[in-house]
């Protein structure tokens, strides 16, 4: 067996990068495909706004559970088989959802789908680090993460366009076909693991790694930032379709879906933030990203479509900057069990999605868009001030 890991000069490097980027694109498109369809679900199934958001939040709850459980199995049964089979199985709910009349059966299928979609993020980064040389793994990881943002953006835009042109059921049939094609390509082209070693440690050891970080107040505050960032960001995008379909905008589903092109600023922003952090320092750029996120969100409070679009672009730039660098901060701060620290941040990140989609529903019902914007815009800065207070007190105790 060749003991050298793949570099950018190797054909297999590009096979791995292409397969994981393609799979990542599908996973994140699948997760967020329902976001522009939420107002339609309210009308079609006669459910409340909060109930409609369950099609997103229950998918994310399934994903969170999947990340924990499948992450453990990834260390024991192998990365490649887990990626391939969970990806293929995740397509099945797309085929079944359009033939169901029960809204809550759809929610349950989305929960199962979320669990299956977790197979890729639960194994992919470990697979990349095992198979690709340190000199090239950063490029492969950047391509993988950029595909996350790209998939989320395209999934939402395509869903809005197809629904407006045909029906929401066409969206799910289209994703069934696309998912089968992508799963087939991954089955054919994703190379086998060469450096994977089965873990014989009991699950208890994995849990101990997570508990180790949960006992650190400083680590908890940083991981908590993942919850806050995603809660703010998701709440804006979840309730935006309801805001823009109402007066004075009265936009169609297709027109609303075009606002998701703002995610393009995130695709560009994350790698640019990494370069800036190398020159100006990670902490400075991360805090700047958080402030930019808040400014962008607060810009959307005005009932002006051009200003809302600019605000969405600014918030995307700030969010992906802050998110990518906060994830880096977590792994830098972890002196032990770095893998567990990264997993905890990922779980916290998706807890934020769940809270931002459904938990803020009552606020929307009571006070509408302005209340959502004020919460989402002010929360990251307030949490930043909270972290600085905790750090100051920790420093005083140390002295």
């Amino acid at each position: 067996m060749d003991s050298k890991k793949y570099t950018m000069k190797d054909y297999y490097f590009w096979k791995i990068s292409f397969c994981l980027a393609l799979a990542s694109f599908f996973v994140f498109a699948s997760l967020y495909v329902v976001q522009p369809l939420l107002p339609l679900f309210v009308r079609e199934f006669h459910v409340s706004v909060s109930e409609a958001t369950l099609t997103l939040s229950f998918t994310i709850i399934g994903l969170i559970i999947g990340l924990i459980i499948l992450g453990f199995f990834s260390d024991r049964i192998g990365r490649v088989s887990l990626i391939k089979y969970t990806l293929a199985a995740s397509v099945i709910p797309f085929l079944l959802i359009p033939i169901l009349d029960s809204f809550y059966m759809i929610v349950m299928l989305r929960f199962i789908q979320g669990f299956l979609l977790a197979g890729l993020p639960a194994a992919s980064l470990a697979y990349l680090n095992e198979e690709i040389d340190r000199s090239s793994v950063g490029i492969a990881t950047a391509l993988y993460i950029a595909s996350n943002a790209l998939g989320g953006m395209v999934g939402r835009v395509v869903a809005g366009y197809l629904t407006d042109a045909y029906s929401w059921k066409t969206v799910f049939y289209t994703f069934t076909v696309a998912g089968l094609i992508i799963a087939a390509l991954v089955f054919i082209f994703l190379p086998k693991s060469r450096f994977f070693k089965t873990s014989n440690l009991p699950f208890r050891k994995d849990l101990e790694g997570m508990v180790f970080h949960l006992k650190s107040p400083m680590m908890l505050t940083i991981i908590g930032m993942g919850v806050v960032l995603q809660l703010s960001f998701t709440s804006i995008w979840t309730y935006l379709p309801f805001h823009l379909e109402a007066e004075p905008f009265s936009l169609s589903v297709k027109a609303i879906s075009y606002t998701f092109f703002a995610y393009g600023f995130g695709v560009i922003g994350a790698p640019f933030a990494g370069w800036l952090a190398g020159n100006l320092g990670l902490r400075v750029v991360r805090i700047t990203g958080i402030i930019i996120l808040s400014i962008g969100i607060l810009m959307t409070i005005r009932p002006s479509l051009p200003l809302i679009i600019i605000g969405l672009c600014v918030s995307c730039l700030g969010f992906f900057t802050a998110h990518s660098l906060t994830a880096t901060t977590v792994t830098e701060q972890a002196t032990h069990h770095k893998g567990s620290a990264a997993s905890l941040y990922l779980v916290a990140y998706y807890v934020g999605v769940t809270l931002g989609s459904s938990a803020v529903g009552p606020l929307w019902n009571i006070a509408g868009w302005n209340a959502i914007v004020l919460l989402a815009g002010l929360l990251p800065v307030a949490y930043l001030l909270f972290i600085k207070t905790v750090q100051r007190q920790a420093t005083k105790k140390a002295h």
Side-chain angles (χ1 to χ4, degrees):
M1 184 181 74
D2 187 358
S3 60
K4 288 179 66 178
K5 293 189 176 186
Y6 302 123
T7 68
M8 285 179 65
K9 297 176 182 178
D10 297 311
Y11 168 64
Y12 278 89
F13 168 90
W14 294 106
K15 279 184 75 173
I16 291 172
S17 298
F18 171 76
C19 287
L20 292 188
L22 199 59
S24 171
F25 177 89
F26 176 73
V27 165
F28 282 84
S30 301
L31 283 175
Y32 295 108
V33 65
V34 296
Q35 215 163 32
L37 308 181
L38 297 179
L40 189 143
F41 289 154
V42 170
R43 295 189 293 271
E44 180 94 4
F45 294 101
H46 308 291
V47 295
S48 68
V49 171
S50 295
E51 286 173 309
T53 63
L54 296 177
T55 55
L56 175 59
S57 59
F58 262 65
T59 314
I60 302 301
I61 291 169
L63 182 81
I64 292 168
I65 296 169
L67 281 171
I68 297 168
I69 295 174
L70 297 178
F72 293 162
F73 279 103
S74 158
D75 292 331
R76 291 160 178 82
I77 66 172
R79 321 292 186 200
V80 174
S81 56
L82 185 72
I83 290 170
K84 287 180 176 180
Y85 289 106
T86 55
L87 185 67
S90 71
V91 179
I92 298 171
F94 278 134
L95 184 62
L96 299 177
I97 285 172
I99 63 176
L100 294 174
D101 294 325
S102 168
F103 176 76
Y104 289 100
M105 282 298 293
I106 291 173
V107 171
M108 186 53 61
L109 275 177
R110 287 286 289 169
F111 171 81
I112 294 167
Q113 188 173 46
F115 182 89
L116 294 168
L117 290 170
L120 178 73
S124 55
L125 293 180
Y127 173 67
L128 283 174
N129 280 281
E130 286 166 358
E131 303 301 319
I132 294 178
D133 188 76
R134 284 183 65 186
S135 63
S136 301
V137 74
I139 301 296
T141 305
L143 288 170
Y144 171 77
I145 292 173
S147 296
N148 295 357
L150 193 63
M153 179 182 76
V154 173
R156 292 165 166 112
V157 172
V158 167
Y161 178 82
L162 289 177
T163 299
D164 209 52
Y166 303 101
S167 72
W168 68 270
K169 293 183 178 183
T170 304
V171 175
F172 290 95
Y173 288 133
T174 302
F175 270 67
T176 301
V177 175
L180 289 173
I181 293 169
I182 289 171
L185 289 172
V186 171
F187 259 89
I188 295 166
F189 294 109
L190 187 64
K192 294 179 180 178
S193 294
R194 297 183 305 153
F195 298 98
F196 171 74
K197 293 179 181 177
T198 304
S199 172
N200 295 316
L201 293 173
F203 287 123
R204 179 174 53 82
K205 289 294 181 183
D206 293 307
L207 292 171
E208 284 175 2
M210 289 190 173
V211 171
F212 175 84
H213 298 300
L214 292 174
K215 290 179 178 178
S216 166
M218 188 58 64
M219 183 62 75
L220 272 178
T221 57
I222 299 169
I223 290 171
M225 181 58 83
V227 178
V228 169
L229 290 174
Q230 191 56 273
L231 188 160
S232 293
F233 193 64
T234 301
S235 62
I236 289 297
W237 285 106
T238 299
Y239 295 93
L240 180 73
F242 297 103
H243 181 52
L244 294 184
E245 75 162 4
E247 296 289 346
F249 309 106
S250 303
L251 298 185
S252 66
V253 175
K254 182 170 72 172
I256 292 168
S257 72
Y258 291 153
T259 62
F260 290 102
F261 278 122
Y263 266 63
F265 284 84
V267 177
I268 299 164
F272 182 63
W275 176 81
L276 271 182
N279 290 275
L280 302 176
L282 188 147
R283 182 173 172 274
V284 172
V285 181
R286 181 171 63 86
I287 291 172
T288 303
I290 293 168
I291 293 168
I292 290 171
L293 167 66
S294 289
I295 291 170
I297 290 172
L298 292 171
M299 286 173 70
T300 66
I301 202 166
R302 296 280 296 170
S304 162
L305 190 58
L307 196 60
I308 288 173
I309 291 169
I310 293 168
L312 293 173
C313 293
V314 171
S315 66
C316 282
L317 180 64
F319 171 76
F320 283 100
T321 296
H323 160 51
S324 60
L325 297 182
T326 302
T328 304
T329 303
V330 167
T331 52
E332 281 192 359
Q333 288 286 324
T335 53
H336 304 287
H337 304 294
K338 287 182 180 285
S340 297
S343 296
L344 272 176
Y345 177 76
L346 207 55
V347 168
Y349 177 82
Y350 288 113
V351 166
V353 177
T354 305
L355 295 175
S357 54
S358 292
V360 299
L363 186 63
W364 166 265
N365 294 332
I366 294 167
W369 179 252
N370 288 357
I372 296 287
V373 170
L374 288 173
L375 172 71
L378 297 177
L379 187 60
V381 175
Y383 191 82
L384 196 59
L385 294 172
F386 167 72
I387 289 179
K388 290 184 76 68
T389 304
V390 170
Q391 288 175 336
R392 197 178 297 117
Q393 289 177 348
T395 305
K396 283 181 181 178
K397 286 181 180 179
H399 292 294

